[in-house]
Amino acid sequence: MTTEAQSTARTIASINPATGEVLRELECAREAEVCAAVERAKSAQAAWAKLGVRRRVAIVREFQAKLHAKKSEIAAAITREAGKPLAEALVTEVLVVLDAARFLIDNAFTLLRDEPVPHGNLATKLKRGSLISEPHGVIGIIAPWNYPFSIPATETLAALVAGNAVVLKPSELTPLVALELASLLHESGIPKEVFQVIVGDGADGAALVASGIDKLVFTGSVATGKRIAAAAAERLLPVVLELGGKDPMLVLDDANIDVASSAAVWGAFVNAGQACLSVERCYVHHSLYEEFVEACARKARQLRIGNGMDANTDVGPMIRERQVRIVESHVEEAKVRGARVLVGGKRLPELGENFYAPTVLADVTHDMRIMREETFGPVLPIMSFNNDDEAISLANDSEYGLAASVFTRDSKRGERIARRVHAGTVMVNDVISCFAISEAPHGGVKASGLGRTHGKFGLEEMVRRKYLDIDPMPRMKKVWWHGYGENFRRQMEGFLDLQFARKFSVRLRGAFRAAGVLRRKRL
Ligand code: NAD
């Protein structure tokens, strides 16, 4: 952080993207405050870890009940600050968190308990091995604005259940939702120092990375992810990076056009296309192409665009005007290079400066930015392919690898193709909903990130596995300790034969040769 940033107080404004109304101005934390928050979390973490998993799970149960009781209030707070329709705030945010809590309530105890590790090597057979899970300490979470509740909340719950303290730095665009999360957690019994929110911008995120946290879970853009990875490398800070995507949807020649086109339209326009898992590019077999494109255009025309607070709204505003500009530049470039705009392709200034019309583009080519860079807006670009191999190679021709989808009436064929697509998740006959499956790990390959959140593997990221080895014969020196000699060398050859020779007769001879080893004099 610069000296200037330190000396002048920086502020951020929470703005309703549908109306432009400033909901609240907040002061950014200073670097010293970020460090102090982490220190407080460190001091409080040991007692939190000592409570034990069952007690922590009971607090998560309390949180779940409180969130359920306040579901509509929280959904409204999300819609006010992030713009998405109320129904989406309920389904893609509140429901996801309630179910993540359910997953932890049902599974955390089993997943976090000590795990015996039986030994196969005869030399160590009698030892008792086990894996125990220890919390890292303080987990820093840096979150984006597009799912301001479900992303930090699911990560936080897993971190807390595992016995960590959490310091969350939400996006500067959606701090109020994070403060709602903090209130709910504190009311449920999480001590104030065990879960803290740092209000601020990128500089505060950088300060959190440089602070004394023990692990970082970052969700955001690839550019920021790379900066964070470089900073984390300086001090070997373990990180999970959930980054951007350019998720492909493949529509095979046997797909149901009505179902697949509805999926494409929902997948491209949910949260006004501002979803890491959204359908960012669509490939359709040439035999269905025209009909599919027409179906998408017809359905896109029927979408009702407006303030997410209106229950009839299907698509809300984008988060900020600068995000609209990115979308606009991708669409304009595609148009200049020959893409056909079937619907949309323009701003909707009559609704507000952050509204962009859901846009369906046909005849796009793979060298257009709209097919290569993350657009993160309400655009569905569609391209045709000739056969399955070509579809797979188009899907894999991307620097990203977050998720993908395949639509076909033949689920075996869908599965075969899914196995060949390079992505963290591939869905057959559905899009995006994998994020709401609390058992499913979430994360990408290639530039889409490192590590996983959600489910068993997400919980695993929140603990260090310690291997515990107990030798039940404290009075016996180990046979491999010093005091070597020709005899010992021969005994060891025999021991290796006993364990690894293919022929039974050699193994038997090895057993005889090795037998004397227990009587060997050791230092
Ligand atoms: P962003 O990278 O601009 O910001 C994310 C967070 O990082 C914010 O809290 C921001 O304040 C903070 N930050 C910015 N600079 C920082 C720095 N130098 N050091 C530390 N923290 C810093 O991303 P965004 O615009 O908020 O979110 C959109 C992006 O997030 C898209 O690319 C989207 O695909 C991605 N995303 C990924 C997932 C996933 O699970 N893979 C989920 C949601 C969003």
Side-chain angles (χ1 to χ4, degrees), residues 167-189:
V167 178
L168 164 67
K169 209 299 283 173
S171 166
E172 51 274 45
L173 306 186
T174 51
L176 299 185
V177 171
L179 295 175
E180 291 283 353
L181 172 65
S183 301
L184 273 175
L185 288 166
H186 296 150
E187 283 165 24
S188 311

Side-chain angles (χ1 to χ4, degrees), residues 142-146 151 169-172 200-202 205-206 209 218-222 224 227-228 242-245 276 374 376 402 442 448:
I142 299 180
W145 47 265
N146 64 332
I151 290 175
K169 209 299 283 173
S171 166
E172 51 274 45
D201 55 15
V209 178
F218 169 77
T219 308
S221 62
V222 173
T224 311
R227 273 200 290 280
I228 285 176
E242 295 285 4
L243 308 180
C276 56
E374 193 182 41
F376 224 56
L402 192 55
H442 172 68
S448 291

